[in-house]
Structure formats: C-alpha cells, structure tokens
Amino acid sequence: MRQALVLGLVAGFAAAPSPQAAAQTEDPVAAEFDKFREVLEKDNPAELWEVKGEQLWKTPRGPKNASLEKCDLGLGPGVVKGAYAQMPRYFADVGRVMDAEARIVHCMITLQGFTYAELAKAPFSNATRTPDPVSITTYVAAQSAGVKLAAPQNHAQEKAAYAAGKEIFFYRAGSFDFSCTSCHGVDGQRIRTQPLPNFTKPEQAIRSVQGWPGYRMTGGVMHTLQWRLNDCYRQQRFPEPGYTSETLSALLTYLTVNSNGQVYKGPGIKR
Amino acid sequence: MKLKTLAMLAAGAALLASCATGPGDARRDALAMMQRDFHARGIAGMDRLKQDEVQAACNKYNDNPPKELAAKLQSQQYAGVKWPQDGKYLGDWKSGEKIAQNGRGMAWNDKGGVGGSCYNCHQIGPATTSFGTIGPSLYQFGKLRGYGTDIQRYAYAKIYNAKAYTACSQMPRFGHAGALTEAQIKDLTALLMDPASPVNQ
Amino acid sequence: MQETRRSVIRAGGALGLLAAFGTALLKPGRALAARNQGAFEAKSAVDAMRSLGVSNAEDSKDIVIRAPDIAENGAVVPMDITSNIPGTTSISVFIEKNPFPYTGTFDFSQGAVPFVHLRAKLGESTPVRVVVAAGGKYYTAVKEVKVTIGGCGG
Amino acid sequence: MADPMKIRATLQGDVADVRVLMAHPMETGQRKQAGKAVPLHFIQSITAQLNGKTVFSADISQAISRNPVFAFKVKGAKAGDKIVITWKDNKGETRTDETTVRAGL
C-alpha cells in the first residue's frame, strides 16, 4: 500500500523539469575535453614507452637470452606491423584466443624463459615502475597505428570467444549489481565529468579500443587494456580477473570485433 | 591445455548450474570461464560472482523483466528494507554531502563500505558541477517533492534498496549490500530532504 | 649566450630585487644563470613577481593563452602561450592557486618565436597568469582554468 | 641513468617547430607512497640550441606535469640544422639529446 502510494508520487514528479536537464543533452564539457584531447595527443608521452618497448622486443633477454623477434603475433614469426589491429585471435599452438598482451606474455614465457608467475605478480604500472609487457604492448600497438581493426571471426573458438565475451559484458553481479553495461550500455551518459561511451554500439565500441595502450594523466603512467579491464572490475566491485586470462581475451574479442573496420590510431592519452 | 580447459569449463558449468537461467552454450562457457579466471582479492570474494534472484532476472531479461516478475521482486526487496531504529529518517546533511562525494567503498582495495558515490551518477548540490548523468538530477529533491514523512521514507528506502522501486535499477542497493550504514543513509536522506540542505535552496 | 638569460627580467626588476634580496641573486656572467629560488618558493603570485622584479605589468591583449576552460585532468593541463608583443624576450607563468604559483620562465633568443607549449599541474580551479618581458617592460594576461573531478572517484 | 628524450623538429616555412618529450617523475614532494612523502625531484632548467646557439631556455618548477612536454619555434632554421636539448634536475642529474631539423610536408 505504502509502496504503491510512493510509486504514484514518484511517477507524478518524474515529469517535473530538472533545473539543469538541458545541460545534459549537449555536453559542452565533453566537447571541451575533446578539443584539448587533440592537443594532448599531438605530443604523447606514450612515445617514450614505444621506444623502450622496441628495445625490449629486440634485445636478447631472460633465462634463454633470446629476443622476441621470433614471437608470432598471428601474422607469422616476427611480424609486428598491423598485428595489434588483428587481435584478439585464435592461436593453434595454445588452443585459445589471445589478446595482444596475453600473446606477448606467452612469447616472453616460451621464447625468453620468464615465468607466468613473475610476469603476473605486479603486472600494472605505478609511479616508479612500468612492467616490461606494458612497454612491449605499447610498441606493438604503435606498429598498427593507422590500420583498420580486423579482429578475426573465422575459427570456431574466435566466434565462441565473441559470444562468451558478450555474456561476460552483460553479466550483472557483485555488491553493487553492476555489469559492464551499467556504465557502457546507454548513449550520452557520463560519470562525474567523464563521458561514457556505449560499447554495445559499433560506432561507440571503438572507444573501448582507441587510445589504448594509453598514457594516463592520473599518475602519469602507461597502461594497457589489461589494466583497464582489471580496474573496471575493481570498480564493478567484482573479485579480480586473472591477468591475461581467457575471460579478458573474450571480453576484448567482443569489444574489438564490435569496432572492426574502424581505424586504430595507436597508443593514446587517457584521463 | 585444451583438455584441461574443457574439463575446467565443465566443472565450472556444474558449479554454476544453480544460478544460470536457461543457459545457452555461450552463457555456460562464459560463466565457467569467469569462475575459473577470477580470484578473491581483499574483501571481494568469489561469492560476488554468484547472482542473486534480482541480478539473475535482470540479466536474463536485459534489465526489462515482465511486469509481474518485476512487481514480485520489488515487493520482496521492499520487505527487506531495515527502517531506522528510532523512526527518524533524517540525519545530518553536512555529513551526507561528504558521503555523497566519496566514491570509495566495497572494492577489493577497500576495507568495506565507505561512501555513496552519489555524485558519480547524480546532480545533487549546486556547488558541485562535476556530477554524472547516469541517474536523474536530485537538485531541489525535497523542494520539488515536499518535505513530508512519506517522501523522507521513500528517499531512505530508495537509498537502502533501489530495487524496491525499480527491479532492475542501475543504482546499487546500498543498505542491502552493507555498503552504507543506517546512520549514513539517514545523512544522505537529510542531504536530499532537509529544508536547510543546499540541495533545497 | 647563457649569460644573457633572464637579463631583461633582471634589468627591469633590479631595483626591486636589490631591495628585497640584496645582490646574491644577481650574478651576471655565470654560465648557468642563478635560479631565482625566492620566486619559486613564494606562496603567492604577487610575492613571486616581487622576487622576480616584475613591476607595473600592463594588461595586454597581445598575449594569447590557449588553455582549456575546463581541464579534463588537473595533473596535465596543456597551454599554448604566444606573445605578439614586439621585442618579447621571455614568458613567465604563474598558476595563482598552486601552493607555489611561479611555474617558470621561458626565454627566447636568436630567432626563437615567443611561443611555448607546456603542460602543468593545477591543484584546483585557478587563474593562470602570464607575464611577458618585452623592451624592458612587462605585460600581463590571465586565463581562468577550471579543474573538475572526473571518473569514478574510487 | 635518465631515459632519452624524444625530440621532433619539423620545418614549416623557415620556422622549425620543435617538440620534446622528457621522461622525468617531476615529483612535487607532496605525493605519498606507502605513507611516506616522496621527496621533491624535478627538472629545474632546460636549454635548447640551434647549431650551437642558445635559442630557448627555461627555469621551471615542480608544477610542470610528470613526463614533461614542451614545444617552441625557431625562425630562420633550415633542414639539417642541429637541435640540442639539455635538462638538469634538482638532484644534479642531467640529460642531453639531439636531432636534426627535418623538412615539413
């Protein structure tokens, strides 16, 4: 009874105009951010990590004292150009779909002799340290700048990864009942002042891929999509997803395939 | 690797069979994958991956459940609202403003509940221009709706459990989830409903 | 030409500097000009300018400050500063509400165009003041930059 | 040792557009890590030379963003001219890198 009454009240007031509702439709704040995003991207500190990543790729390192120049990113051993734009993809040697960083970590293990445990122990950048896979992923990504995204959907496992990724994207759980769609399922919304693209739409999905790996202004550190998804899940109040796990590769398959056909611009700059 | 993966997928699927509603292959694979790939960290245990009835229904119906189901879920959620012990809904709006500003709480790097993250999604007080737009503006909440006890009670319950009114609301169930205490919810209710709060100026 | 760095600001403010700090800051002919520590440690833009000897700065529309009205992130606020005043030798920047407002002086010589792009940290919404030294005089312009809270705040 | 700078110098008419990225933490002394304040650590001065002549120099504070970015312009430059940039920080560490001016598009 009580509830019905209040519901009626609420419905009655829903039509009351919000004093600043107009400000929400055409977002001048977002427009201002976009204008200066261009200025910031013109000179991007991410380039400092591209240089570092290239050195790490070419230098013999690890217990096996090998470089990564024989690493197969999906276009054949050692082919870096354009590879990032065609991942995640299925790799027969491991029987699973891998995103770029997952594949780089795989190569560091198999070619150079590093262990997953040591690479996964502290995989994200902080003020004093940028993990090697982050720099290498930045280098690899830069070699796909200007290339159209074309994450393949040929192998059955690539299709399965897309389908699983979609389910993961929509999965609502955790203390706050959030899914990825809580922030990225509706057009034109923002959290605080940060615009939230709707990743279920192809024209906006590109914003999940574009600008990553990204130089993050907060903290002034380099981050990859592995970090982005990890921190989304933290804020989603979920438990923690495994670094370079199949779950994250599947989610990245969903996001990248949704963006296929659009031009990837290389490492970017993020708030 | 492949065999192991399949075995784990199967095991995971069995584990999750209880909460998977009408599972297709993709859904079953996804749930098994998540069950295998996530790990507990800090206060965020693996139990958080298990959907309750509301989450499962919203997931299944894409946040748009049939009317009867929505009504049933809402009344269940409403029945679980714990009302203030002293019967008063309004706390201190100044403290409420701080709670509304604070975006921390319940994540794996938190110790428990902290703030309400309210400004992340709502316009509230006039002094803060960096507000989100996921939820409706709450500016002049009391002034527009009246300051009566029924509205106080509604605001309190909405913060305690938003799903008591909209089954698949995007708003967290702060009281239900243990993310905010009774005192904090009263402070937030005061922020919205106290005639002296800047929200109502 | 290192020894001429800061020379105009010094010449213009020599009296003020002498009065405030004595001759310690004025060491013409040093390979690397002495850093004006007093200005960098000043807690207000006014005090910093006094340390630098900036006085009677005249408002000028010929100083163009291109910076965001609202910065996406206070940690990295991009600014393009151009002086169209003939004979410009330096551009100084003061972020008025930062704990230490004096952010730096950029000197131009031997054909350098009086323009600089920089990125600075803004602790809060603040006026950004630019002082240009040209022909032994000072000119100034100001631009308000708002700093907001972005993201989830978690 | 400090990481190298990335310098780009491109000719636009007879003006060289010089853009530089520097790898430096630019610690303000106010940031805390594990409960302890990270000490002040920032670039204090920058000089840039074109063919050996100083054209641009700066004294800066810790308020310049982490991993600093600067751009400046020099009139009368030609393709092949040498640009040398040096920074020095408050701990006395210094780094010098160079590039040649390239013809614009």
Side-chain angles (χ1 to χ4, degrees):
Chain A
M1 273 293 275
R2 183 102 216 173
Q3 200 183 349
L5 169 72
V6 174
L7 275 175
L9 279 167
V10 173
F13 281 109
S18 135
Q20 280 163 36
Q24 299 177 8
T25 45
E26 247 177 53
D27 201 329
V29 174
E32 182 79 354
F33 290 175
D34 283 349
K35 193 164 87 189
F36 282 90
R37 172 60 52 88
E38 275 175 44
V39 174
L40 291 166
E41 278 176 348
K42 191 168 175 191
D43 301 285
N44 188 346
E47 290 182 37
L48 298 167
W49 283 276
E50 287 178 32
V51 172
K52 204 172 234 180
E54 182 172 10
Q55 281 170 359
L56 289 167
W57 179 267
K58 292 177 176 169
T59 308
R61 298 167 66 243
K64 295 186 182 173
N65 197 35
S67 80
L68 290 169
E69 287 161 306
K70 284 186 180 149
C71 178
D72 184 354
L73 297 172
L75 304 180
V79 181
V80 182
K81 203 144 193 71
Y84 187 87
Q86 294 187 44
M87 283 194 272
R89 67 160 57 229
Y90 174 73
F91 289 91
D93 57 353
V94 287
R96 65 163 268 204
V97 169
M98 285 179 154
D99 58 275
E101 191 165 351
R103 188 63 183 174
I104 286 163
V105 163
H106 168 81
C107 286
M108 290 176 75
I109 295 166
T110 54
L111 297 175
Q112 299 184 311
F114 292 106
T115 67
Y116 176 78
E118 62 188 316
L119 297 175
K121 199 178 163 212
F124 307 124
S125 305
N126 60 33
T128 50
R129 173 177 168 270
T130 304
D132 292 343
V134 172
S135 301
I136 298 167
T137 304
T138 305
Y139 160 66
V140 167
Q143 306 312 304
S144 282
V147 175
K148 270 189 188 166
L149 291 168
Q153 282 285 281
N154 305 319
H155 195 277
Q157 288 235 32
E158 288 165 350
K159 288 175 188 154
Y162 179 88
K166 185 175 180 182
E167 292 290 342
I168 294 164
F169 188 82
F170 282 89
Y171 191 71
R172 253 188 116 163
S175 316
F176 282 3
D177 311 326
F178 287 163
S179 69
C180 300
T181 57
S182 303
C183 285
H184 296 291
V186 176
D187 290 354
Q189 293 184 336
R190 52 172 226 237
I191 190 159
R192 286 278 183 164
T193 52
Q194 191 71 13
L196 296 167
N198 179 356
F199 294 154
T200 64
K201 292 199 171 165
E203 65 276 16
Q204 292 179 54
I206 181 70
R207 296 181 65 180
S208 64
V209 182
Q210 202 68 279
W212 296 106
Y215 177 74
R216 195 154 190 255
M217 293 186 258
T218 304
V221 291
M222 197 67 213
H223 280 312
T224 63
L225 277 166
Q226 285 287 326
W227 173 84
R228 177 63 278 175
L229 295 185
N230 179 278
D231 207 55
C232 278
Y233 274 118
R234 181 180 65 83
Q235 311 241 37
Q236 213 171 311
R237 274 74 180 178
F238 271 42
E240 187 174 36
Y243 175 60
T244 66
S245 62
E246 272 190 85
T247 294
L248 297 186
S249 291
L251 197 46
L252 289 173
T253 303
Y254 174 68
L255 294 168
T256 312
V257 170
N258 283 350
S259 325
N260 270 354
Q262 300 183 72
V263 175
Y264 174 67
K265 294 197 284 192
I269 194 159
K270 295 283 181 180
R271 187 190 70 78
Chain B
M1 181 97 182
K2 184 74 195 273
L3 268 179
K4 199 174 133 208
T5 305
L6 281 175
M8 288 175 94
L9 286 173
L15 261 174
L16 280 152
S18 57
C19 62
T21 44
D25 284 353
R27 182 164 175 76
R28 213 173 43 226
D29 288 359
L31 294 181
M33 237 188 233
M34 292 175 85
Q35 196 65 31
R36 186 196 59 205
D37 289 343
F38 281 74
H39 53 261
R41 179 167 171 188
I43 60 166
M46 285 296 282
D47 55 309
R48 291 193 184 185
L49 281 187
K50 196 170 152 62
Q51 290 178 324
D52 75 357
E53 208 181 339
V54 168
Q55 293 167 337
C58 295
N59 209 152
K60 182 177 175 186
Y61 293 104
N62 225 344
D63 292 344
N64 195 15
K67 261 191 189 148
E68 308 76 56
L69 177 59
K72 188 187 117 197
L73 291 170
Q74 283 161 202
S75 64
Q76 277 173 5
Q77 296 294 308
Y78 188 81
V81 174
K82 287 205 186 74
W83 301 100
Q85 303 243 317
D86 60 1
K88 291 181 184 134
Y89 301 108
L90 304 191
D92 169 16
W93 69 260
K94 283 182 192 143
S95 153
E97 170 68 17
K98 286 189 194 128
I99 297 163
Q101 291 283 358
N102 192 324
R104 296 298 297 260
M106 303 306 279
W108 66 58
N109 59 333
D110 293 316
K111 292 203 170 72
V114 183
S117 305
C118 310
Y119 280 97
N120 284 8
C121 300
H122 297 283
Q123 178 182 29
I124 312 174
T128 298
T129 52
S130 57
F131 54 83
T133 61
I134 298 169
S137 171
L138 305 176
Y139 180 58
Q140 299 192 328
F141 185 92
K143 196 174 184 175
L144 291 168
R145 291 164 179 80
Y147 298 108
T149 321
D150 49 349
I151 305 288
Q152 291 179 13
R153 192 176 158 87
Y154 161 69
Y156 178 93
K158 179 82 189 180
I159 300 166
Y160 189 96
N161 189 338
K163 274 74 171 178
Y165 300 99
T166 308
C168 294
S169 165
Q170 294 301 331
M171 182 167 156
R173 295 170 279 177
F174 290 101
H176 175 85
L180 292 174
T181 63
E182 178 187 306
Q184 287 179 306
I185 297 175
K186 287 167 76 165
D187 290 343
L188 287 172
T189 307
L191 178 66
L192 299 179
M193 289 298 292
D194 191 325
S197 162
V199 168
N200 294 316
Q201 303 315 304
Chain C
M1 293 313 287
Q2 293 278 17
E3 58 273 23
T4 65
R5 298 182 68 226
R6 222 61 81 243
S7 55
V8 170
I9 267 195
R10 271 200 224 98
L15 284 177
L17 269 176
L18 285 166
F21 293 97
T23 52
L25 293 166
L26 292 168
K27 290 188 176 168
R30 275 177 49 161
L32 260 175
R35 183 179 174 81
N36 191 323
Q37 203 58 28
F40 280 111
E41 285 171 9
K43 300 253 166 68
S44 75
V46 171
D47 288 348
M49 281 184 224
R50 195 174 297 134
S51 288
L52 291 165
V54 173
S55 54
N56 300 322
E58 184 185 308
D59 287 343
S60 172
K61 287 201 171 66
D62 292 322
I63 301 169
V64 184
I65 308 169
R66 185 173 184 248
D69 296 333
I70 304 176
E72 186 170 5
N73 193 326
V76 186
V77 179
M79 302 174 195
D80 281 336
I81 304 167
T82 307
S83 169
N84 294 319
I85 302 165
T88 295
T89 49
S90 78
I91 289 174
S92 298
V93 180
F94 304 84
I95 299 167
E96 294 192 358
K97 290 197 183 165
N98 269 3
F100 303 102
Y102 180 40
T103 306
T105 294
F106 303 86
D107 292 329
F108 310 93
S109 55
Q110 311 268 357
V113 178
F115 156 86
V116 64
H117 169 82
L118 62 100
R119 295 172 189 187
K121 297 170 204 151
L122 271 58
E124 57 183 302
S125 298
T126 176
V128 173
R129 179 166 295 282
V130 169
V131 173
V132 163
K137 279 179 157 176
Y138 295 105
Y139 302 87
T140 185
V142 71
K143 157 91 191 166
E144 288 280 338
V145 178
K146 254 195 210 162
V147 174
T148 64
I149 304 167
C152 323
Chain D
M1 203 184 80
D3 285 332
M5 285 176 245
K6 180 130 191 189
I7 310 169
R8 233 190 309 258
T10 318
L11 219 48
Q12 291 166 348
D14 71 335
V15 176
D17 178 36
V18 185
R19 320 192 71 91
V20 55
L21 304 172
M22 302 171 177
H24 201 284
M26 299 300 286
E27 291 290 354
T28 59
Q30 322 237 335
R31 195 175 67 85
K32 281 191 178 154
Q33 198 161 21
K36 278 189 183 164
V38 179
L40 200 59
H41 185 205
F42 66 105
I43 293 175
Q44 287 193 317
S45 66
I46 299 160
T47 55
Q49 297 184 325
L50 177 80
N51 296 335
K53 292 182 300 184
T54 297
V55 286
F56 174 85
S57 60
D59 278 353
I60 58 169
S61 82
Q62 62 274 25
I64 293 296
S65 303
R66 193 176 157 87
N67 299 312
V69 175
F70 293 102
F72 57 93
K73 293 173 177 176
V74 192
K75 210 170 152 57
K78 311 178 297 296
D81 283 357
K82 195 161 97 169
I83 297 269
V84 178
I85 300 179
T86 299
W87 59 249
K88 190 175 176 190
D89 73 16
N90 66 322
K91 291 184 178 174
E93 196 172 357
T94 178
R95 170 98 213 172
T96 299
D97 290 281
E98 59 178 68
T99 193
T100 47
V101 176
R102 285 200 276 180
L105 296 174

